[in-house]
């Protein structure tokens, strides 16, 4: 299965996978507005491939069922909360 991958001009780290190059008709207009003007990154064959940040089977399933897959960056790590949790764990010992 081939798909086209586009990066967002508005949200760093957001990528949109679609079945056909430049065919954004399955993507909701609201999503396209938030995504910004798509910038082509590559055309990729998902068959027998692994992806760095997302499960390839989830991508294929979403493209087949929804017509697209939106990959968002992971949320930033809250270092203060992490510190508090580690401190609390140390105090419990």
């Amino acid at each position: 299965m081939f798909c086209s991958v586009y990066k967002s001009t508005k949200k760093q780290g957001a990528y949109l996978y679609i079945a056909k190059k430049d065919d954004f008709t399955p993507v909701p207009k609201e999503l396209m507005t938030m995504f910004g003007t798509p910038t082509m990154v590559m055309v990729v064959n998902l068959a027998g491939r692994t992806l760095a940040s997302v499960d390839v089977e989830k991508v294929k399933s979403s493209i087949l069922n929804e017509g697209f897959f939106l990959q968002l960056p992971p949320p930033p790590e809250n270092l203060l909360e992490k510190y508090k949790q580690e401190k609390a764990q140390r105090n419990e010992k």
Side-chain angles (χ1 to χ4, degrees):
M1 168 187 236
F2 283 89
C3 72
S4 298
V5 184
Y6 296 81
K7 69 179 181 177
S8 173
T9 54
K10 289 188 174 182
K11 177 131 179 91
Q12 185 176 359
Y15 293 90
L16 187 62
Y17 296 68
I18 57 174
K20 294 181 182 175
K21 184 180 176 187
D22 297 332
D23 181 8
F24 299 98
T25 52
V27 184
K29 291 181 190 212
E30 297 83 12
L31 176 58
M32 288 305 297
T33 300
M34 290 187 292
F35 194 79
T37 304
T39 303
M40 176 67 139
V41 176
M42 67 181 153
V43 174
V44 64
N45 184 357
L46 297 176
R49 183 181 180 115
T50 58
L51 299 172
S53 302
V54 68
D55 177 20
V56 71
E57 293 304 319
K58 189 174 181 181
V59 174
K60 288 196 272 187
S61 175
S62 184
I63 291 172
L64 289 173
N65 296 319
E66 309 295 328
F68 69 95
F69 176 80
L70 177 64
Q71 177 184 331
L72 296 173
E77 184 178 17
N78 186 330
L79 297 177
L80 178 59
E81 283 302 314
K82 183 178 178 181
Y83 169 76
K84 287 179 181 179
Q85 289 174 359
E86 289 173 355
K87 185 176 178 182
Q89 288 174 354
R90 283 193 302 264
N91 290 337
E92 288 175 1
K93 292 179 180 180

